[in-house]
Amino acid sequence: MKYIKIILGTFIFLLAWQVFILILKIPNYLFPSPVEVFNSLILNYKTISLNGLITLAESFFGFLLANSISIIIALFISFKNRYENLVMSMAVTLKTIPIIAITPLLVLWFGSGFYSKIITAALICFFPALVNILRGTKSIDKNLIELFNIYSANTSQKIKLLIIPSIMPYLFSAFKVSSSLAIIGALVGEFITANKGIGFLIISNYYSLNIAAVFANIITISVIGVGVYNLINFFEKKIIKWNTIENY
């Protein structure tokens, strides 16, 4: 029933879109019809698919880098509470810097290829991931912490048997939030300088006024984002048996 509603809602939306274009007679270089967008998708599916995989790879490695660093920092703070204010001050400062302002510097430092896009993706999703994971470490039952201390558990045992299982819902919350932000970060990097990727296709088609192709690429990256989110949600349901927390 859920999927029927989604399909029906999508059909109604596309029909309204098509009728809107026909009634107002809007030129396709301003606002293409869904039929034109679909034709563009079919005509350029190989190019869009290849560049979509490139953007997905950039997003994935940026996502992996940001969440790995966030987990390490959160674990460090859980054992060294006195450094929390310092670390969070630095993270907030980094968060307040517009990513579009430092992307040219990233291109200068890491080149115009794959690496600068990864760093851009990582920077844009780092702070939300860190905040979610830190919330998880702070939510650990103090009685359990005391119990592990009584039995003289070492650091690796605390991490493996207490911290990681306890913060698992927060980890998946961080993954969900940062997955979409990583895609945005990769696109921003491609907008600045790139010769491949969905961001590059969007910009190049925009300059040639091929707006149907622009819409086709936007739809593609949206589908990728939804797919990644649902994949994370699938693994969350498989791994976690208790209710998940609300996203940050």
Side-chain angles (χ1 to χ4, degrees):
M1 189 64 182
K2 174 184 176 182
Y3 295 105
I4 294 176
K5 289 181 179 179
I6 293 174
I7 294 172
L8 182 60
T10 302
F11 174 76
I12 293 173
F13 172 76
L14 293 176
L15 181 62
W17 179 359
Q18 183 70 41
V19 171
F20 176 77
I21 296 295
L22 292 174
I23 292 175
L24 296 183
K25 298 180 180 179
I26 301 175
N28 61 0
Y29 63 85
L30 290 178
F31 203 104
S33 69
V35 173
E36 291 169 328
V37 174
F38 179 77
N39 288 337
S40 180
L41 272 171
I42 298 300
L43 184 64
N44 302 296
Y45 79 95
K46 288 185 178 180
T47 301
I48 293 174
S49 299
L50 177 61
N51 285 274
L53 289 175
I54 292 171
T55 301
L56 179 60
E58 294 166 347
S59 305
F60 171 75
F61 286 110
F63 165 88
L64 192 64
L65 179 61
N67 282 280
S68 298
I69 294 174
S70 297
I71 291 171
I72 292 171
I73 291 175
L75 291 175
F76 172 77
I77 291 177
S78 66
F79 290 101
K80 304 288 184 180
N81 291 328
R82 61 183 179 275
Y83 293 107
E84 180 177 358
N85 290 335
L86 174 62
V87 171
M88 288 306 298
S89 296
M90 295 172 62
V92 170
T93 301
L94 184 64
K95 170 68 176 176
T96 58
I97 300 175
I99 193 66
I100 194 71
I102 63 174
T103 300
L105 292 175
L106 297 177
V107 173
L108 178 65
W109 295 335
F110 299 100
S112 60
F114 200 64
Y115 297 112
S116 61
K117 313 304 183 297
I118 292 174
I119 300 300
T120 305
L123 285 175
I124 203 169
C125 65
F126 167 71
F127 184 78
L130 177 61
V131 170
N132 270 287
I133 298 170
L134 278 177
R135 286 175 60 193
T137 59
K138 290 181 179 180
S139 70
I140 298 174
D141 192 333
K142 298 296 188 294
N143 293 325
L144 288 176
I145 296 174
E146 187 62 30
L147 179 64
F148 272 72
N149 290 332
I150 290 173
Y151 283 96
S152 302
N154 58 38
T155 300
S156 62
Q157 289 173 328
K158 289 179 180 178
I159 292 174
K160 181 181 178 180
L161 301 175
L162 175 62
I163 297 177
I164 296 300
S166 298
I167 68 172
M168 196 63 72
Y170 294 85
L171 277 176
F172 277 100
S173 179
F175 294 161
K176 287 179 180 179
V177 174
S178 58
S179 63
S180 58
L181 292 176
I183 293 175
I184 294 172
L187 285 176
V188 169
E190 291 171 353
F191 287 157
I192 298 299
T193 174
N195 57 6
K196 52 190 174 182
I198 293 294
F200 166 73
L201 292 183
I202 290 174
I203 291 296
S204 59
N205 283 298
Y206 164 75
Y207 283 129
S208 62
L209 289 181
N210 188 358
I211 306 303
V214 172
F215 271 74
N217 283 284
I218 291 173
I219 291 172
T220 299
I221 201 64
S222 298
V223 170
I224 290 174
V226 172
V228 171
Y229 181 91
N230 285 325
L231 182 63
I232 294 172
N233 194 50
F234 170 80
F235 282 112
E236 179 183 27
K237 291 179 179 179
K238 291 294 182 181
I239 294 173
I240 301 178
K241 302 302 182 183
W242 57 89
N243 290 332
T244 58
I245 60 167
E246 183 180 2
N247 286 345
Y248 166 73

